[in-house]
Amino acid sequence: MTPEQKQALSAPLDRSHVKQREQSGRKLSYIEGWHAIAEANRIFGFDCWTRETLDIRCVSERERKIGPQGRQRDGWGVSYIAKVRIHVTSDNVVREGIGAGHGIDADLGLAHESAIKEAETDAMKRALMTFGNPFGLALYDKTQANVVAEPPAPTAAETYVTRCKAVIAGLNTTQGLRDWWAR
């Protein structure tokens, strides 16, 4: 990998890309699948990596009630597991991940579709996570030491002051400074 790619992979994870959800009474931090793909495109290149689903299987399918209490209706709960391989073609690096997905819907086909997509995405993110912090590795550290807030964008006033300092630094004479000030 190039020095720029290695630097990008070792960079901290920007907190603005971290989402949270509750599961079994615990708060879990994660990055979204689209963000993991965007990071892979940014770091490895659009045409320099591939994702291959090696295995996907249904591990549970059962009828269940769905919807809010008091207005429940018949539906389906479906769970899948998937195994995905990530191949960074420019460096011939291969990583694999296993993930799970769950689908709940009144329509059995839609429940399967949702579970399959979630399982593949989960497996992809777990495979990519092994490359470094931008893919969520930093979230496995309970202190999240490598998850940082991006500094805020400079204000218009800060930008103006920075530009003025650059102009002043480039002036060689007192007369040049006077002329600039007069403008």
Side-chain angles (χ1 to χ4, degrees), residues 107-118:
D107 181 283
L108 180 59
L110 293 177
H112 277 276
E113 178 186 22
S114 179
I116 289 168
K117 288 194 287 189
E118 186 177 312

Side-chain angles (χ1 to χ4, degrees), residues 135-153:
F135 298 108
L137 177 62
L139 300 175
Y140 284 80
D141 169 15
K142 290 188 192 315
T143 67
Q144 294 190 2
N146 285 305
V147 180
V148 298
E150 280 294 308

Side-chain angles (χ1 to χ4, degrees), residues 2-40:
T2 68
E4 294 80 16
Q5 287 173 317
K6 288 179 183 177
Q7 182 179 4
L9 291 172
S10 64
L13 175 60
D14 178 354
R15 184 164 303 284
S16 68
H17 299 299
V18 177
K19 305 298 178 197
Q20 289 197 326
R21 70 173 187 271
E22 280 211 28
Q23 183 175 321
S24 303
R26 293 176 35 211
K27 273 193 176 179
L28 301 175
S29 298
Y30 67 98
I31 63 168
E32 293 179 295
W34 71 265
H35 177 71
I37 292 169
E39 285 294 271

Side-chain angles (χ1 to χ4, degrees), residues 2-172:
T2 68
E4 294 80 16
Q5 287 173 317
K6 288 179 183 177
Q7 182 179 4
L9 291 172
S10 64
L13 175 60
D14 178 354
R15 184 164 303 284
S16 68
H17 299 299
V18 177
K19 305 298 178 197
Q20 289 197 326
R21 70 173 187 271
E22 280 211 28
Q23 183 175 321
S24 303
R26 293 176 35 211
K27 273 193 176 179
L28 301 175
S29 298
Y30 67 98
I31 63 168
E32 293 179 295
W34 71 265
H35 177 71
I37 292 169
E39 285 294 271
N41 287 338
R42 180 181 69 83
I43 294 170
F44 303 130
F46 283 97
D47 219 13
C48 298
W49 71 282
T50 62
R51 176 180 97 176
E52 175 186 5
T53 301
L54 302 175
D55 186 29
I56 188 140
R57 67 179 78 146
C58 183
V59 294
S60 175
E61 174 188 293
R62 65 181 178 84
E63 292 183 61
R64 60 170 287 175
K65 295 292 183 188
I66 62 171
Q69 197 73 347
R71 295 191 332 214
Q72 291 188 324
R73 60 191 196 282
D74 292 336
W76 294 92
V78 178
S79 296
Y80 275 80
I81 58 171
K83 183 175 185 179
V84 167
R85 175 179 292 148
I86 300 295
H87 181 201
V88 179
T89 54
S90 58
D91 296 297
N92 202 29
V93 177
V94 175
R95 304 285 170 83
E96 294 178 355
I98 295 174
H102 313 286
I104 300 169
D105 204 291
D107 181 283
L108 180 59
L110 293 177
H112 277 276
E113 178 186 22
S114 179
I116 289 168
K117 288 194 287 189
E118 186 177 312
E120 283 183 308
T121 300
D122 191 42
M124 174 196 67
K125 290 191 310 180
R126 288 182 185 200
L128 284 169
M129 174 269 307
T130 65
F131 284 103
N133 294 330
F135 298 108
L137 177 62
L139 300 175
Y140 284 80
D141 169 15
K142 290 188 192 315
T143 67
Q144 294 190 2
N146 285 305
V147 180
V148 298
E150 280 294 308
T155 64
E158 291 168 331
T159 302
Y160 178 75
V161 168
T162 300
R163 286 184 11 222
C164 288
K165 285 180 179 179
V167 168
I168 292 168
L171 297 172
N172 299 356

